[in-house]
Every structure is written in C-alpha cells, then in structure tokens.
C-alpha cells in the first residue's frame, strides 16, 4: 500500500521516534508499505516518520528498485562507527521535494540493526550506501539534510521552499 509522504515543515518529521519492541505483523506491514511508497516515489530510502509513523524503522534500496538484492528493511538501527574520508555529494529527500544540496558526510558507516525476522545484523557500508543509511537514521533523530547545511545556505533553501509553497509548486513525491 502506498502511503502519503509528509513534507518539511510537517512537525511529524521532528518528533521523537520510538524503538520497536517486538517485530510483529504490524511492523512487517509498515515495512512493506514503506517499500511500496519508496518505489512509487522512485526514492532510495524512506524513514517511518516520513509516512507519519514515529517508529525507528527505515527502508533503503540504493538501486532504486533495479536490483532486488539491494533492498534493506531496517529496524532499530544504531550507528556503531563512522569513519573514512569526508564524502562530499549532492543529497535530496522525498520530504523536501525538488531541493538538492551538497552535504558532507563520513564515507564509511557501520550500522547494527534488526531484520524483519527479528534477528540482529551488522552492515559495513561505504560510499552511497553509507550516505543513504546516515540520511535515513538522521530522520529517526528528527534531523533533515537541510539541517546539515550552513546557516546561510539553510535559510536560502527555506526561503525558496516558502516561495514554492506559496505558488503551489512544493508537492511530495515530485522530484
Ligand atoms: Zn530524507
């Protein structure tokens, strides 16, 4: 089922997200709906607060649906280690449609999480996957990529968004 994607400045994106205590059918249904929603929006990642659910659940697929092996359903992720050379690259977000800015992040990330069968695993990521995981885990802490820009850059983006909202040009799911 395709869910509505919430957009900045919706407050649900800033709320506290609760860890999942038990992986039950409702959590598996949420993960499945989030995958449908991410695919439909042609995204590479989606966090539960982006669909209005304040739980620590994300989905990531850096192939954007091209490779079924690259789909990750992630519960209660925890960053164990960030390292590597700073990676400087453009980033966007389904909750900040049409805005793309350069964000610097560590190029390697080690993340521990629970799979939908309830077992725990650790993934060592780098490059684009490390960036996607950090971006989605930021969402679970109420952080958006525009928060990682310089103050002046962030103000420019917010001003542009306000203008786009006023002319009806700021719509979720539209790149
Ligand atoms: Zn995002």
């Amino acid at each position: 089922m395709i869910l509505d994607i919430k957009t900045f400045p919706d407050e649900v994106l800033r709320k506290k997200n609760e860890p999942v205590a038990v992986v039950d059918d409702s959590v598996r249904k949420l993960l499945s709906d989030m995958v449908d929603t991410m695919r439909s929006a042609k995204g590479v990642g989606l966090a539960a607060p982006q669909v209005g659910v304040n739980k620590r659940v994300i989905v990531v697929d850096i192939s954007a649906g091209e490779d079924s092996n690259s789909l990750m359903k992630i519960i209660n992720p925890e960053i164990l280690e960030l390292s590597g050379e700073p990676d400087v690259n453009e980033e966007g977000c389904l909750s900040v449609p049409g805005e793309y800015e350069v964000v610097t992040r560590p190029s390697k990330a080690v993340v521990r999480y629970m799979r939908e069968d309830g077992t725990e695993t650790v993934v060592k990521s780098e490059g684009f996957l490390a960036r996607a995981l950090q971006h989605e885990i930021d969402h679970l802490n109420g952080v958006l990529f525009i928060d990682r820009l310089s103050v002046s850059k962030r103000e420019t983006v917010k001003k542009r968004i306000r203008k786009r909202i006023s002319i009806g040009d700021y719509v979720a799911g539209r790149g």
Side-chain angles (χ1 to χ4, degrees), residues 7-126:
T7 52
F8 169 84
D10 194 314
E11 275 304 307
V12 77
L13 297 169
R14 301 303 196 179
K15 284 189 185 155
K16 186 171 161 50
N17 295 289
E18 296 294 335
V20 171
V22 181
V23 185
D24 57 13
D25 284 347
S26 75
V27 174
R28 281 184 283 269
K29 171 82 164 84
L30 172 63
L31 281 161
S32 162
D33 288 347
M34 285 171 62
V35 171
D36 292 346
T37 306
M38 172 177 70
R39 294 254 192 272
S40 155
K42 297 180 167 55
V44 295
L46 191 69
Q50 293 183 274
V51 292
V53 179
N54 288 114
K55 288 195 175 135
R56 300 188 75 80
V57 169
I58 63 178
V59 293
V60 170
D61 178 2
I62 57 166
S63 82
E66 295 296 313
D67 176 6
S68 59
N69 292 321
S70 81
L71 176 63
M72 299 169 78
K73 295 175 176 177
I74 295 175
I75 300 160
N76 299 343
E78 196 185 333
I79 292 178
L80 300 181
E81 193 186 321
L82 295 172
S83 63
E85 290 294 306
D87 177 45
V88 183
N89 248 305
E90 206 171 60
E91 220 169 286
C93 178
L94 295 176
S95 291
V96 194
E99 299 290 336
Y100 300 90
E101 295 293 340
V102 170
V103 180
T104 302
R105 294 187 185 269
S107 57
K108 295 181 181 181
V110 180
V111 177
R112 177 169 60 205
Y113 66 95
M114 209 156 52
R115 290 182 283 235
E116 64 178 334
D117 64 4
T119 60
E120 207 172 73
T121 188
V122 173
V123 60
K124 289 182 179 175
S125 63
E126 55 186 305

